[in-house]
Every structure is written in C-alpha cells, then in structure tokens.
Amino acid sequence: MQSQDAQSVLVLKVWPWLEANLKRIILFTGIFALVLFIYSFFSYRHQQNEITASQALTQAMMTPDSNQAAAAVSQIAEKYPDTLAGQRAALQSALIQFDNGKFPEAQAQFQAYLDGHPGSPFAATAALGIASSLDAQGKTDLAAAAYQRVISLYGDTTEASSAKFALGSINEKQGKNTEAERYFEDVARSNPNSSLGNEAGMRAMELKSKLAAAPKLATTPKS
C-alpha cells in the first residue's frame, strides 16, 4: 500500500513537468531520431563503399596488363578516397609506377598519399616508398635522409627494418663498412626469422670478416 502511494506521489510530481515540457521533449526526441537515422545511413553507405572498393581493387589486381591495372587502381583511389581499399589502391598505384621504373612518378604519388593520410596505417609504407624512389633515382643523400625519417617516425615496424637494410647497403657502397655492419646487425637481430633478417645477417658477417682482415692487410709489409 505504501509502495502504491509513493508511486502515485511520484506521478503527481512528474506529470506537471511532463506537461510543461512536452513540446521540448518531442523536439529533442525528433532531433535524436533524425541524427541516429543520418548516422546509420552514412555508416551503411560507407560500409557499402568499402565493400565495393575492395572488390574493385581485387579485380583490378588480377588484370594481367600492368598499364590497365594501373589505370583501374588509380580510378579506384580517386573514386573511394575515404575507404581503406581506396587508400590501398592509391599505394598500389604508386607501387605499380615504381615497378614499371617510373620512379619520379612513384615518388610523387607516395608523397601525395602521405600528405593526405599522415595517420593512415599505410603511412610507413608510403614513407618507405618515397625513400626507395629517391634511391632508385640515384639521389643517395636525399634517400638516406628519407630512410632515416622512416626509422625515426615508425619505430620497430617492418618498414623501419627495410629502411635500416637500405642504409646498410648505401653505407657499404660508400665504403663505410663499420656503419653498414651496424645497420645489418640491427636488422638481423630485430628480424631473426625472416628472409630480410637472414640476408642482413649474412651481409653483417661478410663485413665483419672484411673489417677483421683490414688491419692485417694494412700492417703486412710489402715484399
């Protein structure tokens, strides 16, 4: 009985407030419903675009002609820029340019992608692409600086390991065997069960042998 009386008192207290604020409640309810509908609509459309872009990218990558594949991938990147598949397409377009030996074009596409998507999961790949494109053009100093940026910005990623390996190769070509060995050893230590790590380990051992033999050669008297 006391419970029913308490409920009656609560209704008597709340009812006048409901009557006084009925229009406002209806308005806020309508606004909430509209916002929920808009969010649901755009979320659904984004999901559909993601699926469509992903299917189109898969089909484009199966195209045997590289020029046709490049054109198709580029169109996907332009049409679906806000999807992960569209972002992958933009990177793939740059990679195709690189594979076709069009290094300045690849560099420009990697840079455009990185400028537009600095926080993307593929940002490290784009940064490494820029460095590799510069390296392929023979712009060694710029490439080395770009590889260093990959290492500084992307930590212990596979892209950072690839950048260290590339810096090892650059230093070895320049006769800086001590620096090269350090880079290769770092890659081998960080990637013990990968082909890159195995290659780096072998390169490091070769350089270590050269460095060990160098002092002996320098002190051997000429006959």
Side-chain angles (χ1 to χ4, degrees):
M1 186 67 180
Q2 290 180 350
S3 177
Q4 291 179 351
D5 291 341
Q7 290 177 2
S8 299
V9 171
L10 180 61
V11 171
L12 290 173
K13 288 182 177 180
V14 173
W15 188 256
W17 182 88
L18 289 173
E19 288 185 327
N21 296 277
L22 183 59
K23 291 183 178 179
R24 186 178 298 175
I25 293 171
I26 293 173
L27 177 62
F28 284 144
T29 301
I31 292 173
F32 176 77
L34 179 61
V35 170
L36 182 61
F37 171 79
I38 293 173
Y39 172 80
S40 299
F41 172 76
F42 281 103
S43 178
Y44 171 78
R45 193 169 75 172
H46 178 77
Q47 291 177 0
Q48 291 302 114
N49 283 342
E50 188 71 62
I51 293 171
T52 303
S54 182
Q55 292 174 341
L57 180 59
T58 300
Q59 185 174 358
M61 293 311 301
M62 294 174 65
T63 304
D65 186 284
S66 61
N67 291 326
Q68 291 181 1
V73 166
S74 181
Q75 288 177 359
I76 295 168
E78 292 177 4
K79 189 174 182 179
Y80 304 100
D82 297 326
T83 64
L84 285 176
Q87 292 182 29
R88 291 201 308 272
L91 275 183
Q92 193 61 47
S93 178
L95 287 169
I96 291 173
Q97 297 280 26
F98 186 92
D99 290 341
N100 288 339
K102 299 178 180 179
F103 304 123
E105 292 84 350
Q107 178 191 342
Q109 288 193 15
F110 282 127
Q111 187 66 62
Y113 177 86
L114 191 60
D115 292 341
H117 307 87
S120 165
F122 310 120
T125 302
L128 181 63
I130 294 169
S132 299
S133 298
L134 288 166
D135 202 353
Q137 294 174 71
K139 299 178 180 180
T140 305
D141 291 341
L142 292 175
Y147 285 130
Q148 288 287 2
R149 281 195 293 274
V150 175
I151 296 168
S152 298
L153 292 175
Y154 303 105
D156 297 326
T157 62
T158 55
E159 288 81 6
S161 292
S162 296
K164 290 176 183 177
F165 188 93
L167 281 172
S169 298
I170 288 174
N171 278 279
E172 185 177 11
K173 289 177 182 177
Q174 294 176 340
K176 301 175 182 177
N177 291 339
T178 301
E179 292 86 345
E181 182 200 358
R182 187 173 66 250
Y183 279 119
F184 288 136
E185 283 188 339
D186 192 356
V187 174
R189 185 169 52 251
S190 302
N191 305 269
N193 300 313
S194 70
S195 57
L196 181 67
N198 292 335
E199 175 68 18
M202 289 189 290
R203 298 277 288 274
M205 290 179 62
E206 291 174 0
L207 287 171
K208 188 174 292 186
S209 297
K210 287 182 180 180
L211 289 168
K216 296 179 181 179
L217 292 173
T219 56
T220 301
K222 296 181 180 179
S223 57

